[in-house]
Amino acid sequence: MATFLYRLGRFSFRKRHFVALFWVALLALAGAGAAGAPAAGNSSFSIPGTEAQKAFDLLDERFPGTSADGATARVVFKAPDGQKMTDPGNKAAVQDTVEELSGGSEVVQVSDPYQGGGVSRDGSIAYASVTYEVSGMELEESSREALKAAAEDARASGLTVEIGGDALQAVPETGSAEIIGIGVAAVVLVITLGSLLAAGLPLLTAIVGVGIGVASITALASTLDLGSTTSILASMIGLAVGIDYALFVVSRYRAELAEGRTREEAAGRAVGTAGSAVVFAGLTVVIALVGLSVVNIPMLTKMGIAAAGTVAVAVLIALTLIPALLGYAGRRVRPAGEKSKLLGGGRAKDARDKAKRPNMGTRWASFVVRRPLAVLLLGVVGLGAAAVPAGSLELGLPDDGSQPVSTTQRRAYDLLSEGFGPGFNGPLVIVVDAEGSDDPQAVFKQAGDEIKALDNVVNVAPAAPNKVGDTATIAVIPDAKPSSVATEDLVHDIRAAGADIKDGTGADVLVTGATAMNIDVSQKLNDALVPYLVLVVGLAFLLLIVVFRSILVPLKAALGFLLSVLAALGAVVAVYQWGWLSGLMGVEETGPIMSMMPIFMVGVVFGLAMDYEVFLVTRIREAHVHGEKPAQAVVTGFRYSARVVTAAAIIMIAVFSGFIGSSDSMVKMIGFGLATAVLFDAFVVRMAIVPAVLALLGEKAWWLPKWLDRALPNVDVEGESLAALDRAADKDDEDKELVRA
């Protein structure tokens, strides 16, 4: 591995024109594809194997032409103080709005509040439901504009008008905080690398990699049904790892220059050593992201594969484009320890003298090696305390009630809760399939009566059969809001009653609707978490055994990851569920944590945690393989890698924190969770717990059964084969000297 990458690095350095042209052409090709592709919308949402999805599919089959998967909107009207929606003027304004909306080219049906029971008991609030023939992601922009225009016309009559539903779901915006994150990354790179040019290389290559990844996703969005958040999450992860991977190669290049190597040789050595770590770190991230497919939720699978593709591009760029750009930079990228004159750099001799003095990483590692048990206990107890809130984790999926109060969707949600009760925003749709029953009408009535008798039910609408009369829908309004435990319990109670009905009549009673779908998604994600952990951690564990040729080091890495991810989940619960520091984080509405958050965090954080593990521990193992004792190898590894790992972690935290400013609650929460997880994992687990455990284990840390050592392939991440090249070169020089003598 190291020898192959060494040759690849030298080739890229020598043939830099060809390599740079290849990546520019690839970026241009992806950009052209994205420019000619339709804009990404909201990905269609299907959950194979769930009861809610089965009922949804049955509606499409038994109620053709009703567009069961079509976009919906609720136009909510509120009368001015002292007036009612039944007043002639207000009623006329609403009916004008209904008529205006009915003329839309994609509109299937618009309900009249005065004919369908759409007026609240006190008469102050009314709503009209709009059903479209296409899904939210396929809805034409002209239809959205017509919906907004109709609402604006109604406002002109003095009514308060807001719009809820998925018809107005917009592509989320990340805000200016993302730019601030990149700015922080630039400052950290300049401080770490001591050169504006050297700092610019990781930023440039990361932007190129993310550009290729996001442009490819945009180009394929319509074909592969990729949602708008797919590209945001791919850019979030791709930008973070792209900067980090490039930083490690550039940093190692400068270290090789400081050893007196030529620039081409230094580029080859940097790719052969740091590049090996990049390959295996990238593999762990890709495994974790692609592994999301085991959950069998198409949207999550697509998000994971798209992000994994962007990470793969980042790895390839770090191995090829970085050495090519280093070739262009020439002497402007200085050896480690030297700064450019612009940043206060002095003479080379001063830089070498400074490099000989113990740096912060050396001093910290020496401290940990002297007091490993105290550091280990402090780190574990601290992360354990941070993880305590995770015990109160409540899962759900965001709805209009989790939107900022500044949005029309959230204001429509609040108006409907005010006028019709909190459960009105999460109606349940009961589908009764009585195809094989002797008396379908009796089955429909029995189902309605049994549901009415359940707790937490406000209203049960009469059964609405299809034209054939073998299937009917029953709308049920719960008493509690959609994301509440009471509503979840009601769904389970209805399903239990449906099982009894099936035993007696043979008819299927299925519960669907957005609320039931969210409950089923949460359950499916919970059920998949343990198999996913076993798969991803198991594969990565095997990979790390190959990399480190040890059993205990990968085991320690996995346990440290579990600590950091639990602590990060605890922080997410504290902020987004309990409301701690919610104002600082821009959280306007606390509530259940997004259902896919735990499994997504497990996948992404595991991959990123292994990044730091690979980069840090390979440097320690490299020192050990080259003859140093375990404790001294820890200090040496930190001397060369602590500064860079710290910079990489700060950069990743800054990039992820930038997404906290997103308008999308899911992206906002994921950004905070990932930033917190990296903070805990890099600075507590990898920088404190890891050296403490290695110091306590000593030589045992690198133990591997002999039979397993023989069976495993030698991937040579430490660059031992490159050291052999040095020894061979030295021997040739000695032989030549002898010949001359």
Side-chain angles (χ1 to χ4, degrees), residues 15 31 111 134 170 299 439 550 662 701:
K15 305 293 184 181
S111 67
V134 294
M299 183 185 74
D439 189 354
S550 163
S662 172

Side-chain angles (χ1 to χ4, degrees), residues 57 242 272 276 319 402 436 514 618 637 686 737:
D57 296 339
S276 297
L319 299 179
S402 60
T618 49
R686 308 303 154 190
E737 288 294 331

Side-chain angles (χ1 to χ4, degrees), residues 43 129 528 706:
S43 178
S129 294
K706 291 182 179 180

Side-chain angles (χ1 to χ4, degrees), residues 7 157 174 187 190 193 292 373 437-438 462 476 492 531 536 550 561 566 571 628 661:
R7 291 170 180 163
S157 66
T174 55
V187 172
V190 170
L193 299 176
L292 290 170
L373 188 59
S437 174
D438 296 332
V476 177
H492 294 317
V536 172
S550 163
F561 149 74
L566 284 173
E628 293 188 8

Side-chain angles (χ1 to χ4, degrees), residues 62-63 432 440-441 444 462-474:
R62 303 288 175 84
F63 292 82
V432 184
Q441 291 297 328
F444 301 155
N466 60 353
K467 291 181 179 179
V468 179
D470 60 358
T471 307
T473 60
I474 302 173

